[in-house]
């Protein structure tokens, strides 16, 4: 089995390798591709443009040529996945899609935290769609100044800031907090005011593992 991950931050490789170990995925299953330029372009443009989405789709389709499943780990680029399933030889998933589904199953008052401003819109659409058939409610919040810390290399400060925001959300009545970006996952262990927040690396890889297994089963019958 091979699962390909398209990242927009080099540091997310270690995050997803840790999630793979947690799920019992062997170390040679994941393949990583980093395209930091795509997120930088989206930030510069104020969001996902048609050209950036097209480039993202081409990268994902290329990875799918030699993988049993592909996961896009960047929430800002997430909508790029929506129109390419029919053209891919292997399943292509967005990790935040699995996160939104897990949050909807948890129910109650969901607070989804974002660190990058360009992630707010795609995260909002994704989470609101996920809870349409439930009684759960969603609030998407930006954590101010967090992304500047991440870009400056202050990972400890970044995670501590995210954890503080999660604790604040629980203190304000959240039933469950979802960390909308993969880079935020390390903050989950620092949260003390409520349940451990949901994060996309573990939920996303679990979904990819299931999709890859189905794909390999289908391939074996052809």
């Amino acid at each position: 089995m091979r699962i390909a991950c398209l990242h927009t931050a080099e540091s997310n490789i270690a995050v997803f390798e840790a999630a793979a170990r947690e799920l019992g995925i062997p170390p040679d299953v994941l393949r990583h591709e980093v395209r930091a330029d795509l997120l930088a372009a989206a930030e510069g443009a104020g969001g996902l443009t048609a050209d950036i989405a097209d480039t993202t789709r081409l990268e994902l389709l290329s990875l799918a040529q030699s993988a049993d499943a592909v996961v896009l780990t960047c929430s800002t680029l997430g909508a790029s996945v929506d129109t390419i399933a029919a053209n891919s030889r292997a399943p292509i998933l967005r990790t935040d899609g699995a996160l939104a589904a897990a949050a909807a199953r948890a129910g109650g008052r969901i607070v989804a935290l974002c660190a990058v401003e360009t992630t707010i819109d795609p995260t909002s659409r994704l989470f609101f769609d996920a809870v349409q058939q439930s009684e759960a409610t969603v609030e998407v919040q930006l954590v101010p100044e967090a992304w500047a810390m991440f870009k400056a290399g202050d990972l400890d400060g970044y995670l501590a800031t995210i954890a503080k925001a999660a604790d604040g959300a629980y203190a304000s009545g959240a039933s469950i907090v979802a960390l909308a970006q993969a880079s935020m996952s390390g903050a989950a262990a620092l949260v003390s005011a409520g349940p451990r927040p949901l994060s996309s690396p573990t939920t996303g890889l679990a979904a990819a593992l299931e999709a890859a297994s189905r794909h390999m089963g289908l391939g074996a019958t052809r």
Side-chain angles (χ1 to χ4, degrees):
M1 179 184 292
R2 174 171 289 182
I3 297 173
C5 301
L6 178 59
H7 308 290
T8 52
E10 186 82 26
S11 58
N12 277 346
I13 294 177
V15 170
F16 276 80
E17 287 291 344
R21 289 192 295 272
E22 183 179 337
L23 292 168
I25 298 175
D28 58 345
V29 168
L30 297 191
R31 173 191 173 190
H32 301 282
E33 185 74 20
V34 180
R35 289 292 305 268
D37 59 303
L38 294 175
L39 178 56
E43 287 187 85
L48 181 65
T49 66
D51 286 345
I52 298 168
D54 285 344
T55 302
T56 303
R57 281 191 282 267
L58 288 173
E59 188 70 49
L60 291 166
L61 289 170
S62 176
L63 291 172
Q65 292 302 308
S66 57
D68 299 299
V70 180
V71 288
L72 174 61
T73 70
C74 177
S75 298
T76 295
L77 306 179
S80 304
V81 172
D82 296 344
T83 59
I84 60 174
N87 300 318
S88 176
R89 66 167 293 280
I92 298 177
L93 305 84
R94 45 192 296 188
T95 54
D96 58 353
L99 177 67
R105 288 193 296 272
R109 182 186 169 202
I110 302 164
V111 174
L113 298 180
C114 301
V116 183
E117 194 166 349
T118 53
T119 300
I120 294 175
D121 180 59
T123 296
S124 297
R125 284 187 276 112
L126 188 67
F127 274 75
F128 288 135
D129 286 347
V131 301
Q132 275 189 350
Q133 304 304 317
S134 73
E135 296 184 2
T137 62
V138 177
E139 181 181 347
V140 178
Q141 298 178 358
L142 179 69
V143 183
E145 302 178 3
W147 195 238
M149 294 180 184
F150 181 86
K151 293 175 77 172
D154 181 9
L155 186 58
D156 289 342
Y158 173 67
L159 296 178
T161 300
I162 300 298
K164 182 178 179 181
D167 280 333
Y170 279 129
S172 298
S175 304
I176 190 67
V177 171
L179 306 178
Q181 294 163 230
S183 61
M184 306 165 91
S185 63
L190 306 177
V191 174
S192 59
R196 185 183 178 93
L198 301 173
S199 60
S200 64
T202 303
T203 55
L205 279 185
L209 185 63
E210 182 178 342
S213 298
R214 287 197 306 267
H215 174 72
M216 294 174 71
L218 288 172
T221 64
R222 290 171 185 162

